[in-house]
Amino acid sequence: MSEPRTILYERFSPKPGSAFWYIDSGHINGYRSLGCDVTEWFGGRDTDEPIASVLDRVRPDVFVGCLQRTNRGPAPWLDDAGLAALRRHRDRRGMKVAVRSGPSNMRRLFEDSAFEFERFPDAGVSSFYLQPDRPSPEEQRAIDAGAIDLVRSAFHAGCLDRAFASFLDAGLSVLEEPHAADATRYRRVDAGEPARDVLFVGNCWAFKWANMGPFVERLQDHFGDRFALYGERWPEQVRTHGRLDDEGDGSNNPFNVEVCRSRVSVALHEPSQVLSWPFSGNERVFKLLLCEAAVVSDANPVLTDHLDAGRHLRLAEDADRMIEHTEQLLADAERRARMGAEGRARVEAEHTYAHRAARVLEILESGVEPGRIYQRQAGALNAQKEQVTT
């Protein structure tokens, strides 16, 4: 494969406004930022075009797909017709395949954990963290058929050897592909004088509350009306302004505008993301920084691998420390501005979805080494832009 230009991108979820929808949109815009022609596809419904027909029509250089559906079941292209079509396009045209997958050995990763994941069945937590080892029979057929070049994972490279042990043993290679920010949508905008001191935007459910609850309750107690929370499914005792839309870009995006109308933005994570070892994160911190926000986050260890704590953002081990960091930033406008500008510069340099897309294309172009863990890499973007657009 040379000069990859045409991408068939399989969305993980067809539901606009969901977290997966935003993440997929970021990846799609990342590929398009590199000059790639991207066709979106979702094959999980009876009315969707079959993968064989889509491949014949689009003739992509790269299929960026999903190995599972949101219910942990097999992707629709793993049937006989889909695999045959993938093999045909690989054999005849050299098409490459990079798939997103949940860990093949999640139980192994958390076998020493004190979490009681079975307490959270309604949010899909237990089915995710307690899922059986993979590969499933459908996935094994795809592996045996040589239909997959690269597995993409949002989890930190430091845990991929355990999280994907069976895939690696089978000869698949796994790329650390962390969440990032969509540089086509988020930016610093002139929103006038700040409307509030502290902002947090995010939804809640029982598993997230186990970590976020103490932070949010203390922030509300300490700052009162100076703290604004937007989101859904919060407990009754939490004061919230309700849903905040995250559609559009820049000054047309309500989320973007509210961040720029706030002096400090807070970021919080799920309990499994604030352990002593790096597991995973979310995209919130990166898009806050693209808005040039002064950010105070809970102590997710993944962030220290991507950003400089103290320079690009502040990290707080507990709610009292978060309030202390926030008060210090509220008292120093110059420091807030400097931290926001430096955080934005770091994200623009290393953590946009265009960087993630460039890394995938770079690995596929150079040739994937079997059974290898690939880390995310800064600096791949400019070279890939030149290759794709010239």
Side-chain angles (χ1 to χ4, degrees):
M1 180 189 68
S2 61
E3 297 186 0
R5 298 177 181 275
T6 305
I7 308 292
L8 176 61
Y9 190 98
E10 180 186 12
R11 279 191 176 271
F12 191 49
S13 169
K15 183 180 178 181
S18 67
F20 293 128
W21 175 271
Y22 289 129
I23 291 169
D24 278 335
S25 295
H27 283 292
I28 290 166
N29 288 336
Y31 282 103
R32 287 175 174 158
S33 295
L34 297 178
C36 296
D37 181 9
V38 182
T39 296
E40 303 175 33
W41 175 71
F42 180 79
R45 300 163 296 198
D46 293 339
T47 56
D48 291 321
E49 185 178 5
I51 186 69
S53 173
V54 177
L55 290 173
D56 289 342
R57 174 171 57 82
V58 177
R59 296 176 60 82
D61 298 301
V62 181
F63 172 46
V64 182
C66 304
L67 202 53
Q68 300 96 29
R69 295 256 54 90
T70 53
N71 65 359
R72 326 289 181 222
W77 53 268
L78 287 171
D79 61 11
D80 290 340
L83 283 179
L86 256 69
R87 287 304 307 269
R88 185 173 70 252
H89 282 265
R90 288 170 63 79
D91 293 344
R92 296 179 182 177
R93 303 191 303 101
M95 182 187 73
K96 302 295 184 181
V97 177
V99 297
R100 169 169 50 193
S101 175
S104 61
N105 303 93
M106 180 65 86
R107 284 175 177 264
R108 185 180 309 186
L109 190 60
F110 282 91
E111 60 187 356
D112 296 326
S113 169
F115 283 123
E116 298 178 18
F117 293 117
E118 60 276 0
R119 291 174 48 208
F120 308 99
D122 295 339
V125 172
S126 61
S127 67
F128 179 70
Y129 287 98
L130 301 179
Q131 61 185 289
D133 283 354
R134 297 183 181 274
S136 68
E138 296 87 352
E139 293 164 355
Q140 187 64 57
R141 289 176 62 240
I143 295 171
D144 294 341
I148 300 170
D149 293 288
L150 185 67
V151 175
R152 302 153 45 232
S153 171
F155 303 119
H156 189 270
C159 68
L160 296 184
D161 59 339
R162 291 164 290 152
F164 286 91
S166 58
F167 277 13
L168 292 166
D169 289 344
L172 292 178
S173 294
V174 183
L175 166 65
E176 174 197 32
E177 189 180 53
H179 296 304
D182 186 348
T184 69
R185 298 185 58 218
Y186 302 105
R187 62 185 66 93
R188 180 68 188 175
V189 299
D190 183 3
E193 287 297 314
R196 67 184 62 85
D197 282 344
V198 190
L199 173 72
F200 177 69
V201 182
N203 295 327
C204 183
W205 50 85
F207 186 60
K208 294 180 73 174
W209 179 255
N211 175 59
M212 297 195 306
F215 287 94
V216 168
E217 289 183 328
R218 285 285 289 118
L219 287 167
Q220 288 203 147
D221 288 345
H222 181 83
F223 291 105
D225 292 339
R226 297 160 60 201
F227 172 68
L229 185 152
Y230 286 86
E232 298 176 313
R233 291 179 285 174
W234 287 89
E236 292 183 1
Q237 71 270 24
V238 175
R239 301 185 303 275
T240 175
H241 294 273
R243 177 182 173 83
L244 180 64
D245 287 337
D246 190 1
E247 301 291 343
D249 61 89
S251 58
N252 296 316
N253 184 316
F255 170 88
N256 201 144
V257 170
E258 290 304 316
V259 172
C260 293
R261 294 178 71 226
S262 306
R263 293 181 175 87
V264 174
S265 284
V266 167
L268 297 168
H269 296 81
E270 297 183 3
S272 57
Q273 297 172 335
V274 289
L275 302 170
S276 59
W277 50 276
F279 169 54
S280 71
N282 57 47
E283 65 172 11
R284 180 178 291 107
V285 169
F286 297 118
K287 65 185 186 182
L288 288 173
L289 291 178
L290 268 192
C291 296
E292 214 165 299
V295 176
V296 181
S297 174
D298 55 10
N300 181 332
V302 169
L303 293 175
T304 60
D305 194 40
H306 301 329
L307 303 160
D308 295 338
R311 179 183 178 189
H312 302 128
L313 79 170
R314 295 287 187 88
L315 297 180
E317 297 81 9
D318 54 41
D320 289 338
R321 188 65 170 153
M322 180 167 281
I323 289 171
E324 180 181 344
H325 284 321
T326 302
E327 289 286 18
Q328 289 173 352
L329 289 170
L330 290 173
D332 192 337
E334 182 178 339
R335 180 180 294 182
R336 293 199 307 272
R338 183 173 63 251
M339 196 166 73
E342 292 185 351
R344 174 188 53 77
R346 171 62 70 88
V347 173
E348 287 180 338
E350 297 185 18
H351 299 295
T352 70
Y353 281 110
H355 288 93
R356 306 300 184 243
R359 183 60 170 151
V360 172
L361 298 179
E362 175 193 53
I363 293 171
L364 294 177
E365 175 67 23
S366 61
V368 181
E369 299 177 21
R372 175 177 170 180
I373 293 174
Y374 288 90
Q375 292 181 268
R376 64 118 185 147
Q377 178 177 314
L381 180 60
N382 291 335
Q384 192 63 47
K385 278 184 176 179
E386 293 178 5
Q387 181 190 51
V388 175
T389 59
T390 57

